[in-house]
Structures are given as structure tokens and as C-alpha cells.
């Protein structure tokens, strides 16, 4: 598999924010989002070919409980399920950061997904399929990266559709996060919008900023 980087840092967003984790960033993506902050893992030749066993051994060497598999888009790699099984059998808790074009993998005891619904601002929303969001469970996360009020309105629409369907199925919804596109809409305006939208308030939508971009330079790699 093509690996962009493997490094130890803290989780910068989501349910495990602030916790130490090993990040495995795989190279290559099937989308081209307007706000992508890791194009070095999407285009070019800045990667190395490693087997799932080699990646697994490198992850183990950091001696942490949490692993985040990211990209690019990790779920388009043909050997990713081999790696996931190794990590799962070893008892590591894996967070798969995935772009919403693939359904959540199943059959793993210690894995959860942080899935994106691509906003209108991303330019990639036509690639989104609501049925992929419906594969998420109560232990997963659905993230909306937004930059405009139109993006927020679209996020509320998706959450409302999921709320109705999950109620019909008797299932627990994933945790919803709204994350601003860096340098766009004012944070206070975004938070105010969330607090005054009935669907978002009813479903306890969480606002977040990317902590790693606060601690380190926003353009830094390996953090």
C-alpha cells in the first residue's frame, strides 16, 4: 500500500480530541476537495510502498492504544482490510477518517469511523451518497466541514433525513460535528447558527476547530 506518513501526535478533532494516537496517512484519494489540507497525500510521488505487515509493525513500535487511519482516502486501498484486521486482532482502537464515498467497513471490534459529508463549498457534494452515512452507528462520527451558511443549511438537511430514518430503524445516530473551513466564516457566526437551528440543537451537534492547527503551524506535516 502507498503510505504518505506514519507519525505520533494528538487527535486534533473528534471524539478523541487531545488524546495521543499514531496516524497512518495513506496516499491517494478519489476526491479533490477545494479546501483539502493534505494534497501532498493526494497527488505527486511523496509516498513509500509498504506492506500491511510493515505498517502494522511500525504502528506497534509507538506503543499507544489509539490509531487513526487517514489519507487521502484510506478505504480505496486494496490491502486496507488486511491492515485493519491486524490492528483489530491486536486490540488497538482504530479511527478511520473517510471521505463519505465508501460505506463503513464492518466486522471489526475496536474500530469506528469519522466520516465526512462533503459540503457544497468542497465542490465534491455530487459524489456523496446518503446511504453511506446510513452505515454509521452510535459509536461513529459524521463530520460536516463548512464555510458558508449554505453549507450549514445542507448539513441540517442531512441530519434531519438521518434523524427520521434512524428513528424508523430504532437505531442510535452517530455523533455529529461541524468544523469550519480554515479562514472562512467567523466562528461566532457559525456557533450562533448552530444554536438557533432546531435540527442541530435537537441532535446535539458539536462545533469543533482543528486543535493541531492551533498548536502547530496550520501548514505543518507530521503533527
Amino acid at each position: 500500500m502507498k503510505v504518505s506518513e506514519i507519525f505520533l501526535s494528538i487527535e486534533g478533532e473528534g471524539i478523541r480530541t487531545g488524546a495521543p494516537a499514531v496516524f497512518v496517512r495513506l496516499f491517494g484519494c478519489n476526491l479533490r476537495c477545494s479546501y483539502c489540507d493534505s494534497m501532498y497525500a493526494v497527488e505527486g510521488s511523496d509516498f513509500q510502498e509498504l506492506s500491511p505487515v510493515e505498517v502494522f509493525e511500525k504502528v506497534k513500535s509507538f506503543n499507544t492504544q489509539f490509531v487513526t487511519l487517514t489519507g487521502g482516502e484510506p478505504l480505496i486501498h486494496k490491502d486496507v482490510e488486511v491492515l485493519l484486521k491486524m490492528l483489530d486482532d491486536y486490540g488497538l482502537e482504530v479511527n478511520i477518517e473517510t471521505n463519505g464515498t465508501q460505506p463503513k467497513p464492518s466486522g471489526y471490534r475496536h474500530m469506528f469511523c469519522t466520516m465526512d459529508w462533503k459540503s457544497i463549498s468542497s465542490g465534491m457534494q455530487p459524489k456523496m451518497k446518503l446511504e453511506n452515512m446510513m452505515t454509521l452507528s452510535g459509536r461513529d462520527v459524521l463530520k460536516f466541514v463548512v464555510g458558508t451558511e449554505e453549507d450549514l443549511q445542507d448539513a441540517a438537511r442531512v441530519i434531519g433525513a438521518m434523524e427520521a430514518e434512524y428513528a424508523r430503524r430504532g437505531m442510535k445516530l452517530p455523533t455529529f460535528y461541524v468544523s469550519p473551513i480554515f479562514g472562512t466564516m467567523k466562528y461566532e457566526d457559525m456557533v450562533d447558527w448552530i444554536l438557533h437551528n432546531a435540527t442541530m440543537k435537537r441532535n446535539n451537534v458539536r462545533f469543533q476547530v482543528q486543535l493541531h492547527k492551533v498548536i502547530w503551524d496550520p501548514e505543518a506535516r507530521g503533527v
Side-chain angles (χ1 to χ4, degrees):
M1 53 178 47
K2 294 178 179 180
V3 180
S4 176
E5 54 188 348
I6 302 175
F7 59 92
L8 177 67
S9 187
I10 60 167
E11 293 273 12
E13 53 192 323
I15 287 175
R16 300 193 308 203
T17 296
V22 177
F23 288 78
V24 178
R25 187 182 301 280
L26 299 182
F27 181 91
C29 189
N30 55 342
L31 297 181
R32 294 294 185 274
C33 296
S34 63
Y35 52 73
C36 181
D37 58 3
S38 55
M39 283 302 294
Y40 60 87
V42 175
E43 297 177 342
S45 57
D46 189 8
F47 62 86
Q48 55 181 324
E49 291 276 2
L50 297 176
S51 69
V53 172
E54 289 172 317
V55 175
F56 175 63
E57 292 299 328
K58 180 68 172 177
V59 168
K60 284 200 303 180
S61 72
F62 287 99
N63 195 30
T64 65
Q65 181 63 32
F66 295 158
V67 180
T68 293
L69 190 62
T70 187
E73 170 48 49
L75 295 182
I76 63 174
H77 290 259
K78 67 176 183 179
D79 292 332
V80 70
E81 292 193 8
V82 177
L83 175 60
L84 283 172
K85 187 174 189 316
M86 290 178 181
L87 296 169
D88 193 60
D89 288 347
Y90 195 69
L92 299 177
E93 183 183 280
V94 180
N95 173 21
I96 302 176
E97 294 187 339
T98 179
N99 65 18
T101 62
Q102 313 294 316
K104 173 189 171 181
S106 61
Y108 302 101
R109 296 169 296 163
H110 310 294
M111 179 271 291
F112 70 96
C113 273
T114 299
M115 186 177 287
D116 281 2
W117 174 269
K118 296 301 181 185
S119 67
I120 296 166
S121 291
S122 74
M124 292 289 110
Q125 194 182 67
K127 303 289 186 180
M128 292 294 96
K129 296 179 180 178
L130 192 57
E131 55 262 38
N132 288 340
M133 315 299 134
M134 299 292 185
T135 64
L136 299 175
S137 71
R139 69 181 300 189
D140 301 309
V141 169
L142 182 57
K143 181 178 68 175
F144 300 88
V145 180
V146 302
T148 65
E149 185 172 336
E150 186 181 33
D151 290 344
L152 287 165
Q153 290 168 347
D154 186 59
R157 176 187 65 82
V158 172
I159 292 168
M162 291 182 68
E163 180 183 22
E165 181 61 19
Y166 275 64
R168 187 186 70 80
R169 297 181 187 182
M171 293 172 55
K172 185 177 179 182
L173 285 160
T175 302
F176 298 114
Y177 279 85
V178 165
S179 185
I181 299 172
F182 194 71
T184 56
M185 194 173 176
K186 289 183 179 179
Y187 292 170
E188 57 264 39
D189 292 342
M190 197 171 290
V191 170
D192 186 64
W193 200 97
I194 292 168
L195 292 176
H196 289 88
N197 181 268
T199 300
M200 289 197 169
K201 188 165 59 175
R202 186 172 61 248
N203 287 285
N204 300 311
V205 173
R206 304 181 185 188
F207 176 80
Q208 67 175 6
V209 295
Q210 293 176 299
L211 184 60
H212 52 289
K213 291 186 177 180
V214 176
I215 299 172
W216 295 284
D217 186 297
E219 302 300 323
R221 289 180 54 173
V223 296

